[in-house]
Every structure is written in structure tokens, then in C-alpha cells.
Amino acid sequence: MKNVCVVGGGNLGHVVAGYLSACGKANITILTSKPEVWSHNLAVHTPQNQTLAGYVDIISDNAADVIPQAHIILFCLPGFAIKNKLKQIKPYLHPGQFVGSVFCSTGFFFEALDLLPSDIGLFGFQRVPFIARVVECGKSADLKGFKENHNIAVENCSIEEKESFRNLISDMFDAPVTLLSNYYEASFTNSNPILHTSRLYSMFKDWIPGTEYPRNYLFYQEWNIESAQCLIDMDMELFDILDRLPVKKGFLKTILDYYESSDAPSLAHKLSSIEGFKGIYSPMVQTSSGGFVPDFGSRYFTEDFPYGLHYIYKQAHELNIEVPTIDKVYNWGISKLNY
């Protein structure tokens, strides 16, 4: 089995580590800033009411303990943590290793290509392999949904090595894997950077400081037509950008095709009915008076605007492409980070 170092102790870090270990796919080590909360035994609960019993060999906050012996270093980190963590592991890397991320639209490839030497393989998923939620930090998590197939980009190696690595990832995650043409196709997607931000904008754009909502709304189950139309408009602008980049035609489905919808009402209905999305609340906090206000310090804001939508916004302006909806949503979200 391969030695896989999972970097990060969030939702995906828990499920990826537990799943790969329990299914006999890899020997697992964890690089986390909070090793004291982790147990070596890691339970993952599946949608089929099974409990997978994973095991973590080494848990450490010191890269020297886990990076040198790893064949694969897999980042399960928010966008704001990627650059510093790449710097932390860089002294302990050696040729032949692969460093990757479970999600690439928050800047992984842009940072890794800039910081790491060219003899280190790089890879990244276009979309996360699992829908995951921590139950008890360092001990258990829920695997709420599987992806039926995966798209990955692989850089800094030969075509033969890319194909071999594709097969390895397919075996590890028990699903077919398609090799993308380049890192642009993994980095620019219509997932969280426009999915989350369109919903946040539609929900909170009219919020005035001092006002409160009567309850915390379900983020997906109460998805409305306005949010769906905003998402569709941002998706169309994203495809205008992709038309100017060296990507393969058809590598990415439009948001309507991906969710098997035809317009804003059908998309709203689809997003509100996805089983894996049920029970997820909006980024809001309760006040002392019992009402709710937006939580502008949540990862929905601190990651999806400055480390997700930012790269789409930046690419559009570098190419002088008009993206009025993306501009409107991005500038609104960035302004809220100062609260």
C-alpha cells in the first residue's frame, strides 16, 4: 500500500483518512495543527449505515515526522491555509513524491507551481471526492455522499506517469477517474466558488447592520429561484472565461447540465432536494436577543470569496472579459470580510 499523508484535520481530512485506511487503500499519517485531539482509531459512518474503522499511523504537527516517508501528500485544507502549509512541507519533499489537493478551485495549483520544485508531482481533484462532516473531532466523521467518478489534473510528470497515477487514484477512491488536460481544468470550476457565493449574495445582499433574521435558514434545502438565477448567470460568465483559456471543450458541464435542470426554478428544486445537502444551515450566528445575523467570519466568506471566486474574478479581468454578475457578487463579498 502507498503511504498517504493527509494534511489538515477538517471534514474531508477525517473522511479521506478514515476511508482510505479502513478500505485497505493506504497507510495513513496526519499532519494537523491540533494533534492532541486526534485518536489513532478513526470511525467513518457511511450513508449505508456502515461504520468503517480506520487507523492513523502517525499524528503530528511537525512535517518532518510525516512528509519524508509519504508517497502522496494530500491537502484537505481551506484556501487560506495552502500557501503556508506548502512552505512548511517543502524542506522535507523529495523527487518522486506527489502533492495534491482534494479541491483545486481555491488556488492550490497556482500556489504549488510557484512554490514547489518541478520534480515534485502535483495533482488535484476538480470536485471533492466526498461530502463529509466531522462528528467528533479526531475520532469520527460522517461520509454523507460519494462522487460516482472523479476528474483530476496531474502536472510535473510524463504522460505515462500521469496515466499510472490516474489508475492509482481510481483504485484508492473506488471510482473511475478521468485525467484532465491541465491544471486550469481543475482550478476553474462551477462548484463552491460560484455555488456558495451566489447563494450568500442572494440571501444577505440586503442585510443592514442591526437587523436580525428570525431563524437560521437551511443553505440548500431552502434554495430559492433568485439564488438559482444568480448561480446560472455566474456560470455563463465563467464559461466566457473558459472560452479564452487552453482548456478542452466540454471538460466541464454547465451548472444546468450538471444538476440536470433547465432553468432557475428547476435548478432551485434540484439543489433543495439533494440528500447529501440536507440539514446544512447557513453561515449565521445567534444574537443575545435570540435572532440571527450573517456570520461574515465563516469559511463560506473567508474562503469562497478571497480564495475561490477571487481566481475567477482575477482571470476575467486579466483577459478583459466583462463579468457583471461575478463583479457584483465578488465585490459585495469582499466588502463583508471587513465586518
Side-chain angles (χ1 to χ4, degrees), residues 196 199-200 203 217-221 223 280-283 300:
H196 288 172
R199 176 68 169 147
L200 293 170
M203 291 179 72
Y217 300 99
L218 289 161
F219 194 76
Y220 294 101
Q221 280 174 268
W223 199 287
I280 298 175
Y281 284 92
S282 300
Y300 281 87

Side-chain angles (χ1 to χ4, degrees), residues 188 194 201 230 232-245 309-332:
F188 292 116
I194 68 169
Y201 176 80
C230 185
I232 291 168
D233 293 343
M234 293 179 73
D235 187 56
M236 292 175 65
E237 293 175 3
L238 171 62
F239 273 83
D240 287 341
I241 299 168
L242 294 177
D243 284 342
R244 297 274 296 278
L245 293 175
L309 189 55
H310 167 77
Y311 290 99
I312 298 173
Y313 171 90
K314 180 182 178 183
Q315 189 69 69
H317 285 267
E318 287 179 353
L319 295 172
N320 294 315
I321 298 172
E322 292 187 4
V323 286
T325 309
I326 288 173
D327 284 349
K328 175 177 63 178
V329 173
Y330 175 76
N331 289 320
W332 171 84

Side-chain angles (χ1 to χ4, degrees), residues 162-202:
K162 290 181 180 182
E163 182 61 22
S164 176
F165 192 80
R166 181 194 68 79
N167 288 325
L168 174 62
I169 295 298
S170 178
D171 177 69
M172 289 173 65
F173 287 87
D174 295 309
V177 171
T178 298
L179 193 63
L180 298 169
S181 301
N182 53 50
Y183 69 92
Y184 285 114
E185 296 182 359
S187 301
F188 292 116
T189 72
N190 47 9
S191 53
N192 290 3
I194 68 169
L195 182 72
H196 288 172
T197 56
S198 60
R199 176 68 169 147
L200 293 170
Y201 176 80
S202 300

Side-chain angles (χ1 to χ4, degrees), residues 33 103 128 329:
S33 60
F103 187 55
V128 294
V329 173

Side-chain angles (χ1 to χ4, degrees), residues 18-223:
Y19 180 87
L20 294 181
S21 172
C23 295
K25 303 295 185 179
N27 301 310
I28 298 295
T29 59
I30 299 280
L31 180 62
T32 172
S33 60
K34 298 179 180 179
E36 68 279 359
V37 306
W38 281 79
S39 166
H40 287 279
N41 296 302
L42 184 57
V44 174
H45 312 296
T46 74
Q48 294 77 32
N49 295 318
Q50 295 177 313
T51 297
L52 305 177
Y55 184 81
V56 182
D57 294 338
I58 303 172
I59 304 156
S60 180
D61 58 0
N62 186 351
D65 294 336
V66 291
I67 297 302
Q69 68 270 38
H71 300 110
I72 297 171
I73 298 102
L74 183 57
F75 278 38
C76 300
L77 291 172
F80 60 79
I82 288 173
K83 184 174 184 178
N84 285 340
K85 197 60 66 174
L86 286 169
K87 289 180 178 179
Q88 183 184 347
I89 71 169
K90 182 178 179 179
Y92 307 102
L93 295 172
H94 55 80
Q97 290 178 305
F98 280 85
V99 179
S101 176
V102 290
F103 187 55
C104 291
S105 61
T106 54
F108 170 77
F109 273 110
F110 298 107
E111 297 292 356
L113 287 166
D114 181 56
L115 289 169
L116 301 186
S118 59
D119 56 5
I120 301 297
L122 300 177
F123 73 98
F125 287 76
Q126 187 184 65
R127 294 178 183 266
V128 294
F130 304 121
I131 300 172
R133 287 292 178 271
V134 171
V135 175
E136 185 177 3
C137 189
K139 297 176 177 61
S140 63
D142 287 340
L143 196 174
K144 299 176 71 69
F146 294 84
K147 289 287 193 300
E148 294 182 357
N149 50 70
H150 307 298
N151 297 326
I152 67 168
V154 184
E155 300 287 355
N156 290 353
C157 60
S158 67
I159 295 297
E160 291 77 13
E161 289 171 316
K162 290 181 180 182
E163 182 61 22
S164 176
F165 192 80
R166 181 194 68 79
N167 288 325
L168 174 62
I169 295 298
S170 178
D171 177 69
M172 289 173 65
F173 287 87
D174 295 309
V177 171
T178 298
L179 193 63
L180 298 169
S181 301
N182 53 50
Y183 69 92
Y184 285 114
E185 296 182 359
S187 301
F188 292 116
T189 72
N190 47 9
S191 53
N192 290 3
I194 68 169
L195 182 72
H196 288 172
T197 56
S198 60
R199 176 68 169 147
L200 293 170
Y201 176 80
S202 300
M203 291 179 72
F204 300 133
K205 69 181 187 302
D206 297 323
W207 179 77
I208 300 172
T211 60
E212 297 181 1
Y213 296 94
R215 61 186 176 87
N216 189 341
Y217 300 99
L218 289 161
F219 194 76
Y220 294 101
Q221 280 174 268
E222 297 184 79
W223 199 287

